[in-house]
């Protein structure tokens, strides 16, 4: 019954001897030096913390605190729900913005019980557009969790719908998850940026991640706040079992110092053909290439200095007829096999491929739209990796250390190679070839090409018009032939008649011409009596 003797019993000593190595392994695991051991259900040691630019140990999913379901609009925009005050709004969660702003037509601070006007204003630049509006305070909620308290509400912007930043968005606003240093509302009012609100609402980590579906209108895209869950993303993708994905490595890329965006170094970029990089555009860069991860960009944006040469190379290899439609590159009768994959190699040394099935979209009418555009508003060699790249990878954004932010990439493709620094082959998109219905005029030989219409009414209009004019032409030709034949017959008859009437008369010297009996010509027409010639008269 003595507690001291019970603690000193052999069973207790053996339990303590077992507990010490377990604790040591846990400590070593936290520093990335040991493999994780099974843990009790109520204890979570957290994710590994590898150095940037190196692969982490096998992916461990940090328990996410909140999950936001995202809607995939045309495989370009991924929107989710946010509640501000009592108003539910649909916003674009953008890693390229550092502020939260909503349309004034959708949110009214006067109608909110927790909203207040500050009298301040802000101005920012987003996607090359000027964003201006008033600064107000309220309590936003994401996935049912408030990001602020009524006593200390969050500051955000209210902009008019006619503002260019919202006119082309299928949403009511933008929720910026960019680095706080780029927040215009924070610099003007001293309030916290949205990413800081996320870190305070889900302590202790300002950590979030995106899984974006590949196909337009598909369900399953989600945003995790306060953590990441790569196994869940793999299950949602349906590419492989989570246990198999644990063997892959999450690659961490260090965010460039002084950047207000999630910008990392890009070592090489170009078309990928015959299992190698056929042309490296970053090799000619004087300042080095960089890449920005942007969940609000529907394309892969290429710097202006490289764009024309890159598109010329990409299209020349296909031999297709391509043109620009509303500043979008569109190609006729294209298939995924006619284009080359795009290769990105970051500073970590691992190669990431974006297959044609990832950056091509079926535009209907046997045309495909190429989701590669020119970056107009910057002169540096910076690429923007939008939806075509992000939907092929699971991306994790870690801002827990202000001086050491990083981006983690997990390969969602079935094809992965450990050769060299590793290669993720991409190819999660479903585009195989352009489909649709077109109405075309063409000849059987195909020598002179074809004229096609995307809708039926021009086709049938021209068919009806062509039939009408063809019938009109045939009728006119028949009428002309009839008149020509009729005129020829008349002229022939008249000439024969004149030939009979003008037959030579017998010559007489004196006296009237002898009377002749009535005669008939060969046609049976009675002949008139011949008149004497003038010289005979």
């Amino acid at each position: 019954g003595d507690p001291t003797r019970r603690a000193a019993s052999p069973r207790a000593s053996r339990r303590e001897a077992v507990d010490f190595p377990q604790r040591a392994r846990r400590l070593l695991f936290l520093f990335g030096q040991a493999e994780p051991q099974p843990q009790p259900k109520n204890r979570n040691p957290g994710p590994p913390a590898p150095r940037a630019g190196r692969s982490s140990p096998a992916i461990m999913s940090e328990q996410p605190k909140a999950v936001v379901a995202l809607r995939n609009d045309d495989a370009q925009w991924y929107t989710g729900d946010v509640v501000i005050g009592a108003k539910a709004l649909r916003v674009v969660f953008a890693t390229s913005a550092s502020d939260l702003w909503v349309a004034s037509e959708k949110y009214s601070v006067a109608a909110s019980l927790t909203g207040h006007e500050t009298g301040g204003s802000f101005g920012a630049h987003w996607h090359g557009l000027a964003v201006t509006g008033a600064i107000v305070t309220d309590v936003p909620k994401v996935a049912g969790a408030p990001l602020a308290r009524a006593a200390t509400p969050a500051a955000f912007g209210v902009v008019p719908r006619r503002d260019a930043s919202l006119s082309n968005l299928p949403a009511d606003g933008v929720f910026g998850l960019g680095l706080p240093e780029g927040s215009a509302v924070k610099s003007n009012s001293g309030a916290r940026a949205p990413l800081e609100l996320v870190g305070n609402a889900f302590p202790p980590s300002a950590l979030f991640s995106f899984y974006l579906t590949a196909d337009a209108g598909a369900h399953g895209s989600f945003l995790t706040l306060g953590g990441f869950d790569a196994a869940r993303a793999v299950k949602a993708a349906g590419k492989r079992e989570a246990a198999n994905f644990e063997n892959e490595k999450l690659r961490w890329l260090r965010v460039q110092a002084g950047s207000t965006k999630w910008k990392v170094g890009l070592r090489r970029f170009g078309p990928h053909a015959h299992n190698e990089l056929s042309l490296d555009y970053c090799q000619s860069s004087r300042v080095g290439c960089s890449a920005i991860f942007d969940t609000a960009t529907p394309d892969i944006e290429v710097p202006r200095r490289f764009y024309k040469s890159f598109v010329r190379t990409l299209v020349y290899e296909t031999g297709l007829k391509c043109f620009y439609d509303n500043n979008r590159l569109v190609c006729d009768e294209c298939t995924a096999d006619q284009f080359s994959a795009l290769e990105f190699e970051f500073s970590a040394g691992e190669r990431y491929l974006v297959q044609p099935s990832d950056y091509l979209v079926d535009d209907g009418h046997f045309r495909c739209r190429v989701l590669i555009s020119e970056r107009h508003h910057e002169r540096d060699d910076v690429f923007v990796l939008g939806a075509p790249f992000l939907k092929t990878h699971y991306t994790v954004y870690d801002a827990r250390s202000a001086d050491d932010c990083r981006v983690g990439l997990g390969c969602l493709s079935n094809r992965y190679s450990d050769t060299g620094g590793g290669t993720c082959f991409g190819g999660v998109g479903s585009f195989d070839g352009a489909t649709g219905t077109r109405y075309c005029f063409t000849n059987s030989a195909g020598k002179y090409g074809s004229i096609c219409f995307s809708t039926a009414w021009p086709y049938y209009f021209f068919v009806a018009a062509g039939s009408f004019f063809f019938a009109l032409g045939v009728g006119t030709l028949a009428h002309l032939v009839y008149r020509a034949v009729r005129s020829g017959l008349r002229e022939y008859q008249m000439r024969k008649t004149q030939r009979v009437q003008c037959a030579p008369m017998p010559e007489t010297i004196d006296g009237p011409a002898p009377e002749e009996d009535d005669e008939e010509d060969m046609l049976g027409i009675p002949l008139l009596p011949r008149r004497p010639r003038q010289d005979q008269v």
Side-chain angles (χ1 to χ4, degrees):
D2 188 0
T4 305
R5 294 184 59 183
R6 186 167 59 248
S9 63
R11 181 177 299 179
S13 300
R14 188 163 51 251
R15 185 169 60 250
E16 291 177 356
V18 172
D19 289 342
F20 177 78
Q22 287 182 351
R23 295 172 181 172
R25 280 195 297 269
R26 292 169 188 166
L27 292 175
L28 292 176
F29 167 65
L30 290 175
F31 290 93
Q33 302 296 329
E35 294 294 329
Q37 298 295 328
Q39 300 295 329
K41 294 183 179 181
N42 59 346
R43 302 185 67 179
N44 184 10
R51 290 181 296 174
R54 299 183 59 184
S55 62
S56 70
I59 291 181
M60 297 298 295
S61 300
E62 181 168 318
Q63 185 65 30
K65 305 300 190 303
V67 178
V68 182
L70 302 179
R71 178 185 301 173
N72 182 349
D73 296 321
D74 195 24
Q76 300 183 39
W77 305 102
Y78 297 85
T79 59
D81 294 329
V82 170
V83 177
I84 302 180
K87 182 69 173 179
L89 303 172
R90 179 161 290 273
V91 298
V92 175
F93 289 91
T95 55
S96 57
S98 299
D99 292 303
L100 168 63
W101 64 81
V102 296
S104 58
E105 290 80 0
K106 293 293 184 177
Y107 170 82
S108 175
V109 65
S112 177
L113 298 177
T114 55
H116 300 281
E117 296 183 356
T118 63
S121 61
F122 79 102
H125 290 274
W126 184 62
H127 285 191
L129 304 174
V131 183
T132 58
I135 299 177
V136 301
T137 60
D138 209 329
V139 180
K141 296 180 181 179
V142 178
L147 300 183
R149 299 179 180 179
T152 57
F156 59 95
V158 177
V159 300
R161 167 64 74 176
R162 63 179 180 274
D163 192 279
S165 61
L166 295 177
S167 59
N168 297 325
L169 285 181
D172 303 323
V174 175
F175 191 99
L177 290 172
L179 298 178
E181 290 76 11
S183 173
V185 174
K186 179 180 179 179
S187 61
N188 292 346
S189 63
R192 291 173 293 181
L195 186 58
E196 294 175 325
L197 297 176
V198 171
N200 293 333
F202 307 106
S205 59
L207 185 71
F208 64 94
S209 58
F210 277 93
Y211 167 74
L212 306 179
T213 53
D215 301 326
H219 299 284
S221 301
F222 59 89
L223 161 68
T224 58
L225 299 174
F228 65 94
D229 193 346
R232 176 175 179 173
V234 173
K235 289 182 179 180
K239 293 297 181 181
R240 69 184 80 199
E241 296 295 335
N244 295 334
F245 189 71
E246 293 291 341
N247 296 329
E248 304 293 349
K249 305 271 181 86
L250 188 65
R251 296 283 177 157
W252 291 100
L253 308 174
R254 187 187 301 274
V255 175
Q256 293 182 350
S259 175
T260 60
K261 303 181 183 297
W262 297 97
K263 184 168 68 172
V264 301
L266 182 62
R267 181 180 299 176
R268 298 201 303 173
F269 165 77
H272 180 87
H274 307 293
N275 296 325
E276 63 181 5
L277 187 66
S278 58
L279 182 61
D280 183 13
Y281 286 90
C282 291
Q283 187 177 7
S284 61
S285 177
R286 297 184 297 270
V287 296
C289 292
S290 303
I292 296 175
F293 295 91
D294 186 5
T295 56
T297 297
D299 304 335
I300 293 178
E301 294 186 1
V302 179
R304 176 178 297 179
R305 192 165 68 90
F306 303 142
Y307 180 73
K308 291 184 179 179
S309 174
F310 169 73
V311 170
R312 191 181 304 113
T313 302
L314 191 68
V315 174
Y316 177 78
E317 294 178 353
T318 63
L320 296 174
K321 178 183 177 182
C322 300
F323 55 93
Y324 286 95
D325 183 12
N326 293 328
N327 296 326
R328 297 280 188 171
L329 183 62
V330 179
C331 297
D332 279 335
E333 300 181 358
C334 57
T335 61
D337 297 335
Q338 295 172 300
F339 288 83
S340 301
L342 307 181
E343 179 179 330
F344 297 87
E345 182 179 338
F346 299 98
S347 56
E350 189 174 34
R351 298 186 301 171
Y352 295 88
L353 302 185
V354 178
Q355 298 293 339
S357 59
D358 300 325
Y359 66 80
L360 294 177
V361 175
D362 191 356
D363 204 29
H365 318 302
F366 294 98
R367 291 178 177 175
C368 64
R369 183 157 33 98
V370 184
L371 299 181
I372 300 174
S373 60
E374 180 182 0
R375 192 164 185 248
H376 295 280
H377 59 282
E378 295 289 347
R379 296 182 179 179
D380 51 6
D381 298 339
V382 178
F383 295 78
V384 178
L385 305 183
F389 182 90
L390 298 179
K391 67 186 180 183
T392 61
H393 304 88
Y394 183 69
T395 53
V396 182
Y397 303 84
D398 186 2
R400 290 177 291 183
S401 176
D403 299 330
D404 189 15
C405 299
R406 55 182 186 167
V407 178
L409 296 179
C411 181
L412 295 177
S413 174
N414 275 334
R415 300 175 57 197
Y416 183 86
S417 174
D418 291 325
T419 305
T423 302
C424 179
F425 288 91
V428 303
S430 60
F431 179 85
D432 186 32
T435 60
T437 302
R438 288 201 301 174
Y439 304 87
C440 300
F441 297 98
T442 183
N443 55 357
S444 58
K447 179 179 180 181
Y448 302 105
S450 60
I451 301 175
C452 298
F453 300 95
S454 59
T455 55
W457 73 265
Y459 173 80
Y460 290 116
F461 171 78
F462 280 103
V463 167
S467 302
F468 171 77
F469 285 109
F470 177 77
L472 181 63
V474 171
T476 303
L477 180 62
H479 180 69
L480 293 176
V481 171
Y482 168 76
R483 293 192 60 178
V485 172
R486 182 180 177 185
S487 176
L489 291 175
R490 285 183 176 181
E491 184 177 356
Y492 173 76
Q493 185 176 1
M494 291 178 62
R495 285 183 179 179
K496 296 196 70 159
T497 303
Q498 291 177 0
R499 190 181 307 117
V500 174
Q501 291 178 352
C502 298
M505 297 179 63
E507 296 182 359
T508 57
I509 301 176
D510 295 320
E515 296 182 358
E516 298 179 355
D517 298 333
D518 293 339
E519 297 181 359
E520 296 180 354
D521 64 356
M522 66 179 63
L523 298 179
I525 301 175
L527 297 177
L528 297 175
R530 295 194 180 114
R531 295 179 180 179
R533 293 181 300 187
Q534 188 70 24
D535 56 351
Q536 294 178 351
V537 175

